[in-house]
Amino acid sequence: MALPLQPRGRPDTRRSVLLFVFVGAFAFRLIYAGSRQLVPDEAFYWVLSRHLHAGYLDHPPMVALLIRLGTLLFGSTELGVRCMAAVTAFGALLVLLSLCRRLVGQERAGILLTAMWLCSPLLAVVATIMTPDAPSIFFSMCAMACAVRVALQMEDSPAASTVRLWLGFGFFTGLAMLSKYTAVLPAAAVVLALLTSERGRKEFTRPGIWLAALVALIVFSPVIQWNAAHDWASFKYQLHHGLDEADAVDGVKPDWLKLHLGGLAAYLGGQMALFTPVLFIFAVVILAKRWWVYRQLPLAHRVLVWSATVPLVFFGFSAFKSGSGGEINWPAFAYFPMSLLLVDDVARTWKRSDVRWLKIGCGVALSIAIVLHAPELLYKTGLLKDRFPRKLNELFGWRELAHFTAREASGSMVVAGRHQDAGELAFYMPGQPEVWCYPVRGSDGKLLSRPTAFDYFPDRPDVAMQARVAYVQGHPEAFCRNYGFAVVASDAFSIRLHGRLRDRSIVMCIKSLQSPSTPPSPRTGRTGRTTRRSAAATSTSRPATGFSR
């Protein structure tokens, strides 16, 4: 925030200061990433990195590959899991700054764009929590940069060859889709920008864009092959994920208008929280202005407009259709081209009112980012003791739970009812043993948990062959019934985390003389939903002792 928006020093001095701040922010990101416990999804992705395949049920393999690379460098630690998130997120910011220098051409605009992103809670999350978003955004930004360069070259010298740039576009698009399926949206945005431009349509008569599509398909082909060998499981799962309407509660469907408008309102609220309200509203206004004068825009700016619009509209429609609001990080890529359009618009006139609003937006963003980095401050204020945010609460307690489980298991195989719990336990238990997750069916034959990537691991052992297991959370009665076990003991773990309790039941099971019911198939049918019941109620030999902090 101390960076001057109208610097008076020499250009070399300004660049040196900017570089120092950028490198310092990157170093801080790595230090912070190594100081916080993994959140559940990260721990699960770390499990995937120990079982490398060409595809998984939940996501393509890029996140697992990058985690494996990070753990080779820094070991199976928090820093090892997360270091590539910081590398790819800051790499995306460098690509954005390069585009700003090319399109806007003002060093002052680059300083403003850097300040905006280094204050942003969005960058703080993407560069810290290792998810498919970080590599997807980076490779999509590289692909978009290639498309912008194509557009600029078409403006400067229409007869010049653009094949090399299109090959780069196809390569980076393929890598982005190896990171996340929705990375197809930025590529679709580029195609729409070309189709709505007379010069852009001429590219479809040249070989470059078709070669790009071929290269992207080749890079993405391992995921297609994996899906073809597994009945297209991942494609089917992601097609329904985020688009299906909410299930009926007690046989009563929610009100249609309330459901869908509520989902859209939740989506918009989440985006304001992600990009901060001031910057989000400011950027949307600028985006609307660009659409108003769309016919006068050069092709490069049309690419930016479509790249910002398509993800926002698509996930807004998804939130409206499902009524759930979706995950706030889904359209994160849109804010990179949108922020560039925002800075470009401000840099045209440098109105004091625009600069003042951007300063206010950066101040709000920095305040939110500070709270995200130190969530304990929220608890100490006393305002959120009973409503501590779930996502922030996931930063605590997993190491304690894992050590408690290891003591209770006493060397027995550990099985978790949730795939995220399996990841956290495997990462934080002494020695980092394998912890597996198995599908469980109720007495009515319905799946009581969602399918997971564990269901497709070829090396997963047959749990029914074990003599003794420790089952954590889930539905212990159904698990024992499915796999031929009997409960012999139950204990409970409860840790107080800044106003919220995380409860887990650890149930010891031994092989029963009775034969198990037919093992559930994870590949058939939709998952059922039931209310969790405490495993402590199934104890037959000793009472739950509990463990709390």
Side-chain angles (χ1 to χ4, degrees), residues 458-481:
D459 54 346
R460 184 175 66 173
D462 184 0
V463 68
M465 301 299 294
Q466 302 294 317
R468 180 183 176 93
V469 299
Y471 186 75
V472 181
Q473 197 59 355
H475 306 271
E477 309 96 328
F479 172 80
C480 291
R481 183 172 60 251

Side-chain angles (χ1 to χ4, degrees), residues 115 137 152 161 192 218 253 280 309 390 413 418 422 439 441:
I137 290 172
L152 293 174
S161 174
L192 290 171
I218 292 173
K253 291 287 289 184
F280 178 78
T309 302
R390 179 177 62 87
M413 177 181 179
R418 298 173 68 248
R441 287 190 183 273

Side-chain angles (χ1 to χ4, degrees), residues 89-144:
F90 276 78
L93 181 54
L94 286 176
V95 175
L96 183 67
L97 293 174
S98 175
L99 285 176
C100 179
R101 185 178 183 182
R102 184 142 189 151
L103 293 177
V104 183
Q106 298 184 36
E107 194 163 9
R108 183 182 175 188
I111 293 175
L112 176 60
L113 188 61
T114 303
M116 184 189 308
W117 275 103
L118 292 184
C119 293
S120 171
L122 172 56
L123 183 69
V125 173
V126 173
T128 301
I129 307 300
M130 186 61 194
T131 68
D133 288 299
S136 174
I137 290 172
F138 171 68
F139 293 125
S140 294
M141 282 297 303
C142 292
M144 191 185 75

